Amino acid sequence: MKLLEFFKVLQMCLDRLPAKTARIFMMREFVELDTEEICESLELSVSNLHVILHRARLRLRECMENNWFIE
């Protein structure tokens, strides 16, 4: 049951990200596309991709800490 609750909170946190940011995060972390595939698909530079992923992870971490890890 805890796993299901975790994924509900994760989905809520993903929904709070800008759509493009969430899409890029999902492409990288869940679909497991590599950097080149994502950059080519979305016409991004490698550095821009890394910045977007970094910001996504920071925002997701904060959201998860506030809504899941801290009781």
Side-chain angles (χ1 to χ4, degrees):
M1 191 60 153
K2 289 280 188 186
L3 188 59
L4 181 60
E5 294 170 17
F6 172 82
F7 280 107
K8 285 182 181 178
V9 173
L10 178 60
Q11 184 62 54
M12 178 200 63
C13 291
L14 284 168
D15 290 343
R16 291 181 178 179
L17 292 176
K20 184 176 181 180
T21 302
R23 179 178 178 203
I24 291 169
F25 179 83
M26 295 296 289
M27 291 172 80
R28 181 59 176 230
E29 302 301 333
F30 287 91
V31 181
E32 298 182 349
L33 296 178
D34 63 28
T35 298
E36 293 78 26
E37 290 174 302
I38 297 169
C39 289
E40 184 177 310
S41 170
L42 300 177
E43 299 180 357
L44 295 172
S45 69
V46 171
S47 60
N48 192 10
L49 173 66
H50 289 288
V51 168
I52 292 168
L53 287 170
H54 176 72
R55 290 178 181 167
R57 291 179 182 123
L58 287 176
R59 291 181 70 181
L60 287 170
R61 177 182 176 183
E62 179 181 10
C63 182
M64 293 299 293
E65 285 177 348
N66 291 333
N67 293 286
W68 176 255
F69 297 114
I70 297 175
E71 308 226 3

